[in-house]
Each structure stands twice: as C-alpha cells, then as structure tokens.
Amino acid sequence: MSNLLVSKLPVEKWVSEGVDWLTQHLSGFFNVIQSAGDAMMTGMTNGLLAIPMFLMIAGVFLIALVTSPRRWGFPIFTLAGLLLIANQGLWQDLMSTMTLVIMSALISLVIGVPLGITMAKSDRTQALVQPILDFMQTMPGFVYLIPAVAFFGIGVVPGVFASIIFALPPVVRMTNLGIRQVPVELVEAADSFGATSWQKLLKLELPNAKNTILAGANQTIMLALSMVVTASMIGAPGLGRGVLTAVQHADIGAGFVNGLALVILAIIMDRFTQKLNTKPSQKLPQSRKRHWFVLATLLVMVGGGIVNSFAMTSQSHEKISLGYVEWDSEVASTNVIGQALKARGYEVSLTPLDNAVLWQSVASGQIDVSLSAWLPNTHRALLKKYENDLTVVGTSLSDVKTGLVVPDYMSAQSISDLTTEANQVITGIEPGASMMIATENTIKAYPNLAGWQLQTSSSGAMVSALEKAYKNKEEIVMTGWSPHWMFSKYQLHYLEDPKATMGGKEAIKTLARKGFKSDHPEVYNILAKFKWEAADMESVMLDIQSGMKPTKAADKWLKANAKTVDSWFE
C-alpha cells in the first residue's frame, strides 16, 4: 500500500506516448480529415459570405416573423441584433462562427442520435457508454485542444473536433432517454401487430421521442457555441477570436462587443431550434403555407449568394499566412508587415496563437511566417526543438530586453534588493510563456525570493494591474520587456539581474517554414530586409493602446515612414 502511494503511476507518460503513437501512425488519416474538413468549412463560410449581408438579414427576419405569428418580440430582436453585428464590422466573424457551430452540431447529431438509439436498445451498451459520456462532459474543454492540435494542427478543423467531444453527450443522453420513455403499452401494441424493429423505431419510438431528442440537439448547439472562444486559442476564426484578444489585452469594450454578438447569435439559434420542438397541438395554423414561405425565402437567399458570387471578380493573389502571439510588440510588428504586404497586392492572413502552438505551426508548415521569436535566450528551448523544421529569416529588431520591472517610486534597484515588496508577488503574463519559465527559475535562484509567488495572467491584465498600482502609488513587481509602450507612459526601470536568470540582450527574429524561400522568394527577401527601431515599434504599440485598431495604427506608421518601407521591397 505504501509503495502505491509513494510510486507515482506514469499516467502522464502513457497518455503522451499514446497521442504520439496515434500522430505518427495515423498522420495520413488525420491529414486527409484536415484537408477535406478545411476545404468543406472554408467553402461553407465563403458560401455564407457570398449571400449579400442585407439580404441574409432580411431573410432571417422574415423567417422569424413567419414562424412567430402575432409575436413581434423575437423578429424585432433578430433584426436589431443582426444589424448591430453588421454595424460593428463583425459580419465575417459571425459567418465563421456559424460554420464552426453548424458543422460541430451536425456531426454531433449524426454520431449522437444513432449512438443514443443503440444505448436505448442495449443495457450493456448504455453501461459501457455512460461513463465515457461522463468523462467527455466533465473534462475541461481546454484539455481537448491538446490532442486536437496534435492530430489536426491549427484552424477550424481542430476547433470542430474539440467542440464535438464537448457538445456530443447531451444529444446522446436525450436520445437514449426519449426512446426509453416511450410507453411500454405502445411498444407491446406494435409487437402484437407484427411490426419489425425498424418499423417500431421509425414509426413509433422516434416520433414519440422527437421532442426529447430535439431538446438534446438544442443543448448540443449551445455547447458547441460555448466552445468558440476556447477553439480560437488554436486558430479557429470567428467571434471567439475577438473575445480572446480582448481578454489578453484587457480591452473591456472589444470584449463586450464580441461577447454581445455571441449572445445575439446564441439567442437566435436557440429560439429557432425551439420552434422545431412543438407538440401537434402547438402547430401553427396554415403551417403548410408558412413552410413554403420559409423555403422560398431560403431559396432567394441562396440565389442571391450564387448571383453575388458570379458578380464578384475573383483575382488570384499570392497567399501568405502570418502567425503571432498576442503580445503588444508582436501585434505591432505583424500588422505592420501584414499591411505592407497587402498594399503590394499580397493576400495576407493573420492568426493569433499561443506561443508554443505558433512554433509548432510554423514547423509543421501550417503557418508561413512568424515575427515573434525572441532569441537567443527567451525562446532558446523552442528553437532547439524545431530548428530542423523552420528557417530563421532575419532580425527585425535588435537590442531588446526582458526582465523584472518596477515603478521608479520603488527603491529596489536589483532583484537581490527584493524582500517583502508587493506582498511577495510577481505579476506575470500567460502561463507557459518562456518569460514565465525564466521568472520561475529566477525565484528559485535568488535566496531572498524564497516565499515569493508568480501570478499568471495575460499581457493585458498585467498592464491593467500596473495602471491600478501606479495610480495609487502601490508597489508592484512584474515581468517586462522592451520595446513596450508602458515605458513611454509610465516611469519604470528594470531590476538588475546579477545571476542573469532573466536573460540578457536579445533580438526579435523572423521565422519561416521550411520551403518558404523557394515557394515565395520575393516575400522571403522582403522579410529578410524587414527591420525597424524600438521607437518605431513603441509608436505603433502606443497608438494601439490608445484605442486605434492595429491595422489603422500600422497604416499610420507605414504612411509616415514610406522611405523605410520602400527599402524593404527594393
């Protein structure tokens, strides 16, 4: 018994080795699913976007109006909500979110309903599947992102994969429950008339269980919608990405707007699915005419999309994908080079990712370029891990620095001077960031930091904590790096690091996937020449922090520094 308590079972190792085995031996299978799924969902999103925005808004409003006779609340809410989303410039994100939710829900229904039927017919199957459903429903959704990235990389496909696992249990449970609740008398009557199993299922059990199954489908759709923010952490596009970006930058306004758009979408989808779940006594009069009107409205919307797709002139541009971490410095540099490339006719996509996922995505070829590598110290371990699968293109900014930072009104000048300041708490950024690992090592290396704690947050939350502390002249010790706009706004200084545990002078490097130079030689040369100064980056960062959109701040800098930009493209 003591050995069991002392010896730790290598569960973590078993799971990691299992995922690695699947990734190695089934990589071809996962690649096919990734390619086919990405093509299918890109096509669905493009199809939704092809429908003229105001035609879709009008169509959805008319369908809501027809299905809600003598009730104006839901139709007016639908019209006002969709117009608000369009007004906020979130229409494309809304369509991307709808694609993710619709595909997740459809696949969940295709898997869940037959599985629920099988459970209802077999107690043994129910006993086997029930604990698996419990596991799927109680495991934190973030955990599903890890195998999703390992199997499918980044983008909407792994987002759908994670959403299916999280959203599947309700429809399975409710299908099982609905069929088991069919009155025994009706089943016995069907048996007495010689009905086959398929006849009983299709003509008796499913019709009687319809409302329960639809209730489960409704919950599945809502759970899939709740996963959009989580899925955005691995590159899934949509409204979730806006929420995640707002959280990382502590942008209350942007977070509220994107969150409100998700609420509007959730209410609209919930009300429409509820309308399918009606009893015969609740069916609307003249329902046949209403059905034909809804069908005609959908056909008009689809027809408008087809006409619009032919009317749109499609030009073939060279496509470049840029990945970045939601750090202020990387947001600035990525948007500057992205806007510069767009102005020269390139089709550029920007994808925010966690730092470790970003390096993996460049190494696997799913992202073309990253301008987020801090070398030689901060990201040394990641470079060592992926150095054979990517190329260091060049240096965009030299003489950058990382370390622990305090306001000038604090007397501490060195890490060795710290004793009980700031309640012995260092305010950090995202967990798992290389700077956080360096800070943890710093706490271990300095005896005077015994008892100190590292508080994880985000770069935006860290700056919010600084703003609050600075305003009240309170003590704060935090992770920091330069260039950063906070050094322009506040009087701050780095603490000396005698043991050099936080790293020394660094440079921000540009990374590219293997083969990028041969695929895009002109862009590769542009990126190799891309260089700017710390003051340039800080000016863009400060504009963004002051409320300017990253693309607008980048355009402002590009216009003011035309000669520098031209030198990149020579």
Side-chain angles (χ1 to χ4, degrees), residues 151-459:
F151 296 153
F152 305 109
I154 61 169
V156 69
V157 173
V160 168
F161 173 81
S163 299
I164 290 170
I165 298 176
F166 188 71
L168 181 63
V171 69
V172 178
R173 294 182 190 275
M174 297 300 277
T175 300
N176 176 34
L177 177 64
I179 293 179
R180 286 179 177 273
Q181 286 182 336
V182 174
V184 177
E185 295 82 2
L186 294 179
V187 177
E188 292 176 347
D191 289 334
S192 67
F193 282 102
T196 65
S197 298
W198 278 105
Q199 288 174 328
K200 284 193 296 182
L201 177 65
L202 296 176
K203 296 184 178 181
L204 173 64
E205 293 169 332
L206 286 179
N208 277 273
K210 186 191 79 169
N211 290 340
T212 305
I213 295 172
L214 287 175
N218 177 272
Q219 291 302 307
T220 290
I221 293 172
M222 293 300 103
L223 285 176
L225 189 57
S226 72
M227 279 291 289
V228 298
V229 177
T230 304
S232 68
M233 297 180 68
I234 52 175
L239 296 168
R241 182 178 292 180
V243 174
L244 181 64
T245 299
V247 169
Q248 291 173 325
H249 291 276
D251 190 338
I252 298 174
F256 178 81
V257 170
N258 284 272
L260 181 61
L262 281 171
V263 170
I264 292 169
L265 177 60
I267 292 175
I268 292 173
M269 297 186 76
D270 176 68
R271 296 300 184 272
F272 274 125
T273 52
Q274 282 186 13
K275 291 180 184 300
L276 298 174
N277 193 4
T278 56
K279 298 178 181 178
S281 60
Q282 296 175 322
K283 287 189 175 180
L284 302 172
Q286 300 179 328
S287 59
R288 185 176 295 273
K289 291 183 179 180
R290 298 179 189 279
H291 291 163
W292 281 111
F293 184 87
V294 170
L295 180 60
T297 303
L298 292 174
L299 288 175
V300 170
M301 292 166 61
V302 172
I306 294 173
V307 172
N308 190 44
S309 63
F310 281 113
M312 294 170 61
T313 56
S314 60
Q315 297 181 349
S316 179
H317 297 290
E318 196 170 345
K319 297 181 179 180
I320 307 296
S321 61
L322 302 179
Y324 66 100
V325 186
E326 285 281 4
W327 299 330
D328 297 285
S329 51
E330 275 54 53
V331 171
S333 59
T334 306
N335 275 276
V336 164
I337 196 65
Q339 291 300 103
L341 290 172
K342 286 179 182 179
R344 265 70 177 183
Y346 295 96
E347 185 177 336
V348 182
S349 62
L350 275 64
T351 304
L353 294 167
D354 176 78
N355 187 50
V357 176
L358 175 59
W359 279 75
Q360 178 182 335
S361 301
V362 176
S364 65
Q366 289 193 296
I367 291 292
D368 289 326
V369 175
S370 166
L371 296 92
S372 306
W374 288 57
L375 298 170
N377 299 311
T378 303
H379 295 151
R380 178 188 301 162
L382 289 168
L383 179 62
K384 184 178 180 180
K385 181 177 181 180
Y386 297 112
E387 61 183 348
N388 294 326
D389 300 312
L390 48 78
T391 303
V392 179
V393 179
T395 301
S396 61
L397 186 64
S398 302
D399 296 329
V400 298
K401 184 178 180 181
T402 62
L404 297 183
V405 176
V406 298
D408 283 352
Y409 56 74
M410 289 180 61
S411 60
Q413 298 298 318
S414 170
I415 297 177
S416 302
D417 296 336
L418 296 175
T419 53
T420 60
E421 291 84 356
N423 295 320
Q424 294 187 312
V425 172
I426 299 174
T427 304
I429 54 173
E430 291 80 5
S434 300
M435 188 181 301
M436 297 292 282
I437 297 174
T439 305
E440 291 173 352
N441 293 333
T442 298
I443 292 175
K444 296 175 182 177
Y446 284 83
N448 58 301
L449 296 183
W452 279 65
Q453 295 181 342
L454 176 59
Q455 180 176 331
T456 60
S457 59
S458 67
S459 56

Side-chain angles (χ1 to χ4, degrees), residues 123-178:
D123 291 336
R124 181 176 298 178
T125 302
Q126 178 177 249
L128 177 65
V129 174
Q130 195 75 32
I132 298 175
L133 296 178
D134 294 338
F135 176 88
M136 292 167 63
Q137 208 162 10
T138 54
M139 178 69 73
F142 290 98
V143 176
Y144 299 134
L145 301 183
I146 304 171
V149 171
F151 296 153
F152 305 109
I154 61 169
V156 69
V157 173
V160 168
F161 173 81
S163 299
I164 290 170
I165 298 176
F166 188 71
L168 181 63
V171 69
V172 178
R173 294 182 190 275
M174 297 300 277
T175 300
N176 176 34
L177 177 64

